[in-house]
Amino acid sequence: MGDAGFILFGRVGREILSWGTVIFAICGTGSQLLAGQIALSALSQPRSLCALLFTGIFAIPTFLVSLPRTLDRLNWLSALAAFSILVAGIVAMGAAGAYPTPGRVIAVALPSDFVTAFISITNPVFAYAGHFMFFILISEMRHPEDAMKSAYALQAFATTFYTVFAIVTYYYLGPAVASPSLSSLPPVWQKATYGLALPNFLIAACLYSHTAAKLLFVRLFRHTRHIHSHTPLGWAVWSALVFAMVAVAFVLAVGVPIFNYLVGLAASLFAAWYTYGLAGAFWIFDTWHGWDSDRKNTSTGDLRGVEERSWLKVRDGFRGHRRGWDALGRRPAMFALCALTIFAGAFICVAGLYAIIQGIIGAYAQGAIGAPFSCQAGG
């Protein structure tokens, strides 16, 4: 993502998007650690243990599984994670149908204030924000031209699954459904579904922490043998970076009382752009400078003609602005769609920041913010 920022906006863009990716990945790791804590708390009932302890327990395998330095070591685990969340979702929908909430009232739309409604909007934005990991995935693929196949498969599965799961659980559990929705199921089914979903929480946390560590590792050892060779220094630094990413995520998750709001801030600042705004900017930039047509005219997997262009030469393309506008004008529908995604990213960023800040102020005013490193009973 940082390299893409460098092409679009120069060195400033590289630093903003690189560090934004690291910050967002750490917040994502912390969010998954909390999901693991909720799952372990549900599985341990009726016994009660310290929630902080559950988070620490879940952080240990997160660190260990994150240690492989290349994603090919995690691919089968990722397949397991996708399978586990699919099975957990199917079981949860079945349990919701078998034990619906009595007297529930189903409504397509409910009245709400702007802050509450927009905080809810940041949740699906965060759910789709994994796009920023595509760059690291593509950089390690043997056949990068196959990346779009993976992207299409991911989007088709995720959109379909999220939509069906949300509709079914809401229909049977009603507007009082908890977050995560698995916590609204009867205790036995909570344990079953959280147990099935636990591998997904673990691998998701590992991928986030792996991404944050990888970006820093490449920044430190770019153009050195430590990137590709198993040197003692390389492994020592890599292990330290992975540990640091998981440790920072753990401290933020259990030590910052407003961590959920912090994730919302990260989603508004970065996920709004990673999920929406930058996607439109990428297409417009490529089309303006003729990269889109270059990709269509190259042989399968041969992008050398595109890669040979220096970013300085590309940025000078604004002299040929007429040619750029002509290229965009040949695809007006796609241009309009990309412009709308940029506007959507900007709106979600600004409105999300406002809503989250107002939510923090309201939570403090109501005394709903707990103490840092509190040890409340899990569950």
Side-chain angles (χ1 to χ4, degrees):
M1 186 63 79
D3 292 337
F6 185 57
I7 292 174
L8 288 175
F9 309 114
R11 294 184 178 181
V12 174
R14 167 182 279 175
E15 297 303 321
I16 291 176
L17 292 186
S18 293
W19 287 105
T21 300
V22 172
I23 293 171
F24 187 73
I26 291 174
C27 288
T29 305
S31 180
Q32 294 302 320
L33 291 181
L34 288 182
Q37 176 259 307
I38 294 172
L40 293 177
S41 297
L43 291 170
S44 70
Q45 295 299 325
R47 298 181 179 180
S48 295
L49 291 178
C50 176
L52 189 151
L53 179 60
F54 279 130
T55 311
I57 292 172
F58 197 71
I60 295 173
T62 298
F63 165 69
L64 295 175
V65 180
S66 301
L67 281 176
R69 280 169 51 177
T70 55
L71 289 174
D72 66 317
R73 306 292 182 181
L74 297 175
N75 58 358
W76 288 108
L77 292 177
S78 298
L80 172 63
F83 180 75
S84 75
I85 198 64
L86 174 63
V87 175
I90 292 173
V91 172
M93 288 187 286
Y99 300 94
T101 301
R104 63 192 182 281
V105 177
I106 307 300
V108 176
L110 295 172
S112 177
D113 59 274
F114 177 81
V115 171
T116 303
F118 216 87
I119 289 177
S120 299
I121 290 176
T122 62
N123 290 332
V125 172
F126 185 83
Y128 280 98
H131 299 110
F132 73 92
M133 288 191 280
F134 282 0
F135 288 92
I136 290 181
L137 174 65
I138 294 171
S139 70
E140 297 189 18
M141 292 180 68
R142 290 188 179 92
H143 303 287
E145 65 274 11
D146 291 336
M148 288 308 298
K149 299 176 184 177
S150 301
Y152 287 134
L154 169 65
Q155 292 304 97
F157 170 78
T159 302
T160 303
F161 182 72
Y162 287 166
T163 303
V164 172
F165 181 80
I167 292 173
V168 171
T169 53
Y170 177 74
Y171 179 80
Y172 286 110
L173 300 178
V177 61
S179 179
S181 57
L182 302 183
S183 297
S184 298
L185 301 174
V188 172
W189 290 104
Q190 279 190 45
K191 293 182 178 182
T193 52
Y194 273 125
L196 290 169
L198 202 56
N200 178 270
F201 301 154
L202 174 62
I203 302 304
C206 295
L207 289 175
Y208 278 124
S209 58
H210 179 100
T211 298
K214 178 67 68 65
L215 289 171
L216 296 177
F217 185 78
V218 172
R219 177 67 69 91
L220 289 173
F221 291 123
R222 189 188 298 270
H223 305 307
T224 71
R225 64 190 180 92
H226 303 293
I227 289 284
H228 303 292
S229 302
H230 295 288
T231 63
L233 177 60
W235 270 106
V237 173
W238 171 255
S239 301
L241 286 173
V242 173
F243 179 82
M245 298 303 102
V246 176
V248 171
F250 170 78
V251 171
L252 289 175
V254 301
V256 179
I258 59 170
F259 178 72
N260 287 330
Y261 292 103
L262 191 65
V263 172
L265 285 174
S268 299
L269 275 173
F270 303 115
W273 293 106
Y274 295 161
T275 309
Y276 296 101
L278 286 177
F282 291 157
W283 185 90
I284 291 175
F285 185 91
D286 283 358
T287 304
W288 178 280
H289 294 291
W291 283 27
D292 189 56
S293 59
D294 283 349
R295 275 198 293 269
K296 293 179 181 178
N297 295 330
T298 53
S299 60
T300 303
D302 184 10
L303 301 180
R304 286 175 296 179
V306 174
E307 292 171 352
E308 287 172 359
R309 300 184 181 205
S310 68
W311 73 274
L312 287 173
K313 184 177 179 181
V314 168
R315 293 184 69 182
D316 283 341
F318 279 99
R319 297 179 199 170
H321 62 278
R322 183 174 180 179
R323 183 176 58 187
W325 283 116
D326 288 343
L328 296 176
R330 286 192 291 269
R331 302 182 68 180
M334 192 67 182
F335 175 52
L337 178 62
C338 290
L340 286 174
T341 62
I342 296 174
F343 174 77
F347 177 74
I348 293 172
C349 177
V350 175
L353 286 174
Y354 170 79
I356 295 296
I357 291 172
Q358 290 298 316
I360 294 173
I361 295 173
Y364 269 110
Q366 297 171 11
I369 304 297
F373 298 101
S374 62
C375 195
Q376 299 173 350

